[in-house]
Amino acid sequence: AGYEERLFTLAHEFQPQGVRFVAVCCGTDVVDSLPAMKERAAERKFPFPYLSDPSQQSARDYGARVTPEVFVMRPDRTIVYLGAVDDSWNDPTQVQHAYLHDALTALVAGKMPEIGEARARGCAIAYD
């Protein structure tokens, strides 16, 4: 929830430029259940699809360790950036490096991001 507003802002900025956003929940707790996710997405008016993967296979396939952990891909699904949204998980006013914004800006310009990976911080994914 700490990054939701920042992700919403990025989606509103970059979706008109052809960038697709998708959130995938791979948690298995009750709060991560499909009914709870649907309720949260409707309540918060998510501007992108919010998918459920209780098998956790998508997170395993991409090597996700924490939530949120972002993966930016070119249209051919090559990952060009992975990791943190920015460098201040708990305080958006303290962001000094907006990794995801920079990666998306580069992607839209047809370039590779200067930083291809930044350590994501968040809640550890509890794999079953």
Side-chain angles (χ1 to χ4, degrees), residues 2-120:
Y3 275 110
E4 277 182 3
E5 288 301 323
R6 286 178 260 183
L7 291 172
F8 295 170
T9 298
L10 289 166
H12 290 301
E13 178 179 350
F14 286 98
Q15 284 177 330
Q17 298 177 61
V19 176
R20 291 184 178 151
F21 283 70
V22 176
V24 180
C25 178
C26 64
T28 57
D29 291 335
V30 171
V31 297
D32 297 324
S33 68
L34 188 56
M37 288 174 49
K38 285 181 176 182
E39 184 177 320
R40 180 157 190 84
E43 174 185 297
R44 299 282 293 132
K45 296 181 174 62
F46 275 42
F48 43 76
Y50 186 28
L51 309 177
S52 175
D53 180 11
S55 76
Q56 301 180 312
Q57 192 60 50
S58 61
R60 283 187 176 90
D61 289 348
Y62 283 102
R65 297 169 294 117
V66 299
T67 61
E69 190 161 358
V70 298
F71 298 85
V72 176
M73 297 177 232
R74 292 191 304 220
D76 68 0
R77 305 247 172 144
T78 302
I79 296 173
V80 296
Y81 173 78
L82 63 100
V85 172
D86 56 45
D87 64 349
S88 183
W89 67 271
N90 61 338
D91 187 352
T93 66
Q94 298 299 310
V95 172
Q96 293 183 24
H97 300 285
Y99 304 119
L100 180 55
H101 185 276
D102 294 347
L104 294 172
T105 299
L107 181 73
V108 168
K111 299 178 183 177
M112 288 292 290
E114 284 186 32
I115 296 174
E117 185 172 352
R119 184 170 179 241

